[in-house]
Amino acid sequence: QLQASGGGLVQAGGSLRVSCAGSGLTFSDYVMGWFRQAPGKEREFVAAISRSGRNTLYTDSVKGRFTISRDNAKNTVYLLMNTLKPEDTAVYYCAAERGLAYITRDRDDYSYWGRGTQVTVSS
């Protein structure tokens, strides 16, 4: 089970960190990803991190602003979002897939999904 938290309302230019806690799984076995879905749009890839945390992948629109990290001892993955823009407004979902040897931006590669947390950036 995955539980995302930490969303909220923030002004443009501000920062927010969302977290995703896993339970009932060996967290270090899972590649983790963050996706987001804005109203009327498809769910899109944001960032992913390898099982060890050594490798990361970002969509171009968040590179240099967002940082994904994980703490396997705490069964938690984080997404630190800086310099937020109104277009970052969306529901943010964490996702997990077990046993991958690579990190992926393809949402179809992820079997487990959290419920999502709302991030709203005001202009």
Side-chain angles (χ1 to χ4, degrees):
Q1 184 177 2
L2 301 175
Q3 181 65 53
S5 62
L9 174 64
V10 62
Q11 288 188 332
S15 298
L16 203 62
R17 189 180 77 165
V18 291
S19 304
C20 175
S23 60
L25 49 82
T26 304
F27 197 72
S28 58
D29 286 347
Y30 290 77
V31 168
M32 301 298 298
W34 282 100
F35 291 75
R36 65 186 180 187
Q37 188 167 18
K41 295 188 176 181
E42 290 192 355
R43 192 171 300 188
E44 65 172 358
F45 171 78
V46 177
I49 190 166
S50 62
R51 291 178 287 171
S52 67
R54 283 194 291 267
N55 300 106
T56 58
L57 183 66
Y58 297 93
T59 192
D60 285 347
S61 63
V62 308
K63 281 181 182 177
R65 300 189 298 122
F66 290 13
T67 302
I68 187 172
S69 62
R70 66 191 296 162
D71 185 339
N72 287 338
K74 294 183 178 180
N75 286 4
T76 302
V77 62
Y78 305 97
L79 185 68
L80 175 62
M81 303 179 287
N82 294 322
T83 319
L84 281 160
K85 304 176 181 179
E87 50 264 42
D88 294 318
T89 294
V91 177
Y92 282 71
Y93 297 89
C94 59
E97 182 60 30
R98 185 176 184 275
L100 289 178
Y102 55 91
I103 48 177
T104 173
R105 65 178 67 237
D106 189 342
R107 65 185 183 189
D108 291 335
D109 286 339
Y110 293 89
S111 299
Y112 304 96
W113 292 82
R115 285 191 176 183
T117 185
Q118 176 71 47
V119 172
T120 303
V121 184
S122 63
S123 57

